[in-house]
Amino acid sequence: MTSIELLKIAVYFLLILAATKPLGIYMKRVFCGEKTFLDPLLRPIERTVYRTSGVDPRKEQDWKQYTIAMLVFSGVGLLLTYAIQRVQHVLPLNPDHMAAVAPDLAWNTAVSFTTNTNWQAYSGESTMSHFTQMVGLTFHNFVSAAAGIALAIALIRGIARNSAKTIGNFWVDLTRCTLWVLLPLSLVLATFFLSQGVIQNFRPAIAATTIEGTIQKIPQGPIASQEAIKELGTNGGGFFNANSGFPYENPTPFSNLLQMLLIFALGAGLCYTLGAMTGKPRHGWAVFWAMSILFLGGAFITTDAEQRGNPVHQRLGVAAADGNMEGKEVRFGVGDSALFATITTDASCGAINAWHDSFTPIGGSVPLLNIMLGEVIFGGVGAGMYGMILFIILAVFIAGLMVGRTPEYLGKKIEAHDVKLAMLAVLVLAFCILVGSAAAAGTAAGTSSLNNAGPHGLSEISYAFTSATGNNGSAFAGLNANTKFYNITLGLAMFFGRFLMIIPLMGIAGSLAAKKKIAETAGSFPVDGALFTFLLVGIVVIVGALTYFPVLSLGPYVEHLLMNAGKVF
């Protein structure tokens, strides 16, 4: 790896480190109802929202009520987005006269944006009207992200509270996250993207005559406003099929750096929020460093693999001087593309500025493994934190077994009920990924739209189900997923991957909230030091390795061995 790429990774990480505490403190103040500088502007709006919707902000909910409220809200939003797509041809703001979206694709897209996955089995610029993009999809970019953060906050409250029956109010958390966190930041960020050249208009596509004399349509639309929340909310769905590789979405090195920063910003901030709300700031930093170790390891491996390139090309004398440039934008190069791929799959974002399908086998295996691990490496907004807390419970349980005493986490005893719920949540993801991939690989409907054979084809299939289940949304891109089989099955994977994991997670929140805190003793396992950090990293890696090593071995790892033997796919 070159020194310049090492420097880029270091600068990026230092910027994230610098933003973690301020964002963490701010979110703690927002969700604890403390005073912020935006209160004079937003408090009246908040009260209006509650009066209009009939919400009593003083009434808290237990974990079942909180979960049901989230499920009902998500279900209504899903149906609304499906309906908008099916009738978009008669709705306004459709200057390019887009037709109604097919039922199976409308289902897939509605589930995708409801679950914060933003998997796109279509080209946005040729399928969705401006109205659908703004009202149907951007709406979910905000509220699905807000719901994820709300769930993480509810779980943190469960950890922090003592003998409590409630964990907050979903409607209040959703409203405050949207008004105080996502909307203000998105407004500022969209303005910055405009200054960099990201377009924002309501025009139809422009017809341009090329040098060859043919007509090329250049899509237009409200892009800057969607680009900000796309990254900040770790949504990832692009207005254009090329996503952040398209100049209208990501025109400059500054916009590229900002997009990468936004993907991690709120997830990193939640680490400090965890420490602040539980009164254990050192524990929040321990979790942050565990995530950082996993992130830096993946970034180094991916960048090194892409800079080494393909030995088959090198033997033929056609390799690029700076490594594997296939599927990458020249203006970003290998380093920025590899770093972006690592970041977007550490989080449940899915935005891309290069095609992961064109990465080397080892370079492509890192994004795949990142999602398989549950995207707990900073992760999606909220999702990374509550996913990592599941691993924390497992780590504390294992530590308790090693020292021969009842596991404790921040003064709460971790019992068999809590561990069972944590394992159930982890197994839901493994089941959807492995069973879905096996079903697709073993049927004609699943293999008929593959672009590559052999282990690379298996990687394309497993990446699709991993991305869908992990609510990431990126793809290997060698698979045509816009078929009835994939639209339906991937839609189910997204749905189960989001909501079946959340139910046991919220059960844990309710269980921890009801427990009485006990004083820490000399025998308590400390969760704020280097030993805990490395144990947590080890648990994440070991669980991932034991669960997914077989499919990784049959896919990218065997492809790497064959590539070095001179065979490509």
Side-chain angles (χ1 to χ4, degrees):
M1 188 189 305
T2 62
S3 56
I4 187 65
E5 302 308 336
L6 282 171
L7 180 61
K8 287 180 180 178
I9 295 172
V11 169
Y12 172 79
F13 178 73
L14 290 174
L15 290 172
I16 288 295
L17 180 61
T20 296
K21 185 174 180 178
L23 284 172
I25 292 174
Y26 179 72
M27 286 190 285
K28 186 259 185 183
R29 297 183 68 84
V30 167
F31 292 109
C32 290
E34 299 172 7
K35 187 176 180 180
T36 73
F37 69 97
L38 290 175
D39 285 4
L41 174 64
L42 296 179
R43 285 286 188 181
I45 300 175
E46 181 188 26
R47 289 193 292 268
T48 301
V49 170
Y50 296 150
R51 284 198 301 269
T52 304
S53 56
V55 171
D56 182 358
R58 296 165 298 180
K59 184 178 180 180
E60 291 202 347
Q61 301 165 319
D62 62 27
W63 77 267
K64 294 178 182 178
Q65 295 168 329
Y66 199 102
T67 305
I68 291 171
M70 181 276 300
L71 292 174
V72 170
F73 176 77
S74 300
V76 172
L78 189 155
L79 294 175
L80 175 63
T81 305
Y82 177 85
I84 289 173
Q85 294 176 83
R86 296 291 292 135
V87 298
Q88 73 171 9
H89 59 295
V90 297
L91 294 175
L93 291 176
N94 188 8
D96 292 310
H97 307 292
M98 301 292 187
V101 181
D104 57 303
L105 180 58
W107 146 259
N108 183 280
T109 306
V111 173
S112 174
F113 280 77
T114 301
T115 58
N116 199 241
T117 308
N118 294 44
W119 171 273
Q120 294 172 285
Y122 60 89
S123 297
E125 63 266 39
S126 60
T127 307
M128 302 296 177
S129 68
H130 294 349
F131 186 92
T132 301
Q133 294 269 18
M134 294 173 61
V135 178
L137 306 187
T138 305
F139 163 77
H140 281 297
N141 283 349
F142 280 94
V143 298
S144 66
I149 294 177
L151 292 167
I153 294 297
L155 181 56
I156 294 172
R157 285 198 193 102
I159 298 168
R161 291 184 173 181
N162 186 19
S163 302
K165 295 182 179 180
T166 61
I167 56 173
N169 185 309
F170 172 75
W171 306 111
V172 173
D173 290 340
L174 181 78
T175 302
R176 293 190 67 82
C177 183
T178 304
L179 290 180
W180 266 263
V181 180
L182 299 179
L183 276 173
L185 287 172
S186 295
L187 179 61
V188 173
L189 296 167
T191 304
F192 176 84
F193 282 129
L194 281 169
S195 73
Q196 295 299 294
V198 179
I199 66 172
Q200 178 79 11
N201 60 50
F202 299 102
R203 299 173 186 167
I206 296 174
T209 303
T210 66
I211 296 175
E212 293 84 2
T214 59
I215 301 298
Q216 177 183 356
K217 286 191 173 182
I218 304 175
Q220 304 289 300
I223 298 167
S225 57
Q226 297 188 60
E227 200 66 25
I229 189 60
K230 161 191 162 184
E231 312 297 5
L232 183 68
T234 60
N235 296 285
F239 189 94
F240 297 99
N241 186 46
N243 207 280
S244 289
F246 198 97
Y248 278 173
E249 287 199 28
N250 191 10
T252 69
F254 292 106
S255 67
N256 190 65
L257 174 60
L258 180 60
Q259 289 188 20
M260 291 191 293
L261 290 171
L262 295 181
I263 293 172
F264 269 9
L266 295 182
L270 280 170
C271 293
Y272 194 87
T273 303
L274 168 67
M277 289 182 66
T278 58
K280 300 288 186 179
R282 289 187 60 191
H283 172 61
W285 282 117
V287 175
F288 173 88
W289 288 113
M291 294 179 175
S292 299
I293 291 169
L294 292 166
F295 156 64
L296 292 171
F300 292 150
I301 293 171
T302 307
T303 304
D304 182 69
E306 293 308 296
Q307 286 193 319
R308 290 178 183 274
N310 190 326
V312 175
H313 295 166
Q314 293 165 3
R315 285 193 288 269
L316 294 174
V318 296
D322 54 352
N324 175 33
M325 278 298 295
E326 180 186 339
K328 299 178 178 66
E329 283 283 308
V330 174
R331 58 203 171 97
F332 298 137
V334 168
D336 286 356
S337 300
L339 181 58
F340 200 111
T342 305
I343 293 166
T344 196
T345 51
D346 281 338
S348 62
C349 184
I352 59 168
N353 71 354
W355 295 114
H356 300 174
D357 188 53
S358 296
F359 278 32
T360 61
I362 296 299
S365 72
V366 172
L368 178 57
L369 181 59
N370 284 344
I371 310 174
M372 287 177 168
L373 294 178
E375 293 168 310
V376 296
I377 311 169
F378 295 108
V381 282
M385 176 52 62
Y386 62 64
M388 183 58 92
I389 289 176
L390 294 177
F391 283 104
I392 290 173
I393 290 173
L394 296 179
V396 170
F397 175 72
I398 292 172
L401 293 179
M402 289 191 294
V403 299
R405 59 176 287 137
T406 303
E408 298 172 12
Y409 175 46
L410 296 181
K412 301 288 184 76
K413 287 187 176 182
I414 302 299
E415 299 170 308
H417 171 74
D418 307 307
V419 177
K420 289 176 182 178
L421 288 175
M423 284 307 304
L424 179 60
V426 173
L427 289 173
V428 164
L429 301 180
F431 179 86
C432 291
I433 291 170
L434 298 177
V435 173
S437 298
T443 60
T447 58
S448 60
S449 57
L450 279 176
N451 196 38
N452 296 277
H456 195 85
L458 177 61
S459 295
E460 291 174 350
I461 291 174
S462 60
Y463 195 105
F465 281 94
T466 302
S467 180
T469 303
N471 301 138
N472 181 270
S474 64
F476 248 35
L479 172 71
N480 175 21
N482 192 9
T483 67
K484 286 187 177 181
F485 174 82
Y486 280 111
N487 280 334
I488 294 172
T489 57
L490 292 177
L492 291 172
M494 288 183 275
F495 188 88
F496 294 145
R498 173 81 163 186
F499 298 117
L500 286 190
M501 176 188 179
I502 284 173
I503 294 173
L505 173 85
M506 298 308 291
I508 293 173
S511 173
L512 292 178
K515 293 178 188 291
K516 183 177 180 179
K517 285 191 175 183
I518 57 177
E520 294 185 18
T521 66
S524 300
F525 179 68
V527 292
D528 56 3
L531 178 60
F532 169 76
T533 295
F534 285 107
L535 175 63
L536 182 56
V537 170
I539 294 298
V540 172
V541 173
I542 290 171
V543 170
L546 292 176
T547 306
Y548 300 111
F549 184 74
V551 70
L552 289 168
S553 297
L554 295 173
Y557 297 159
V558 73
E559 184 186 0
H560 173 75
L561 297 175
L562 292 171
M563 178 185 72
N564 284 300
K567 186 173 178 59
V568 294
F569 297 91

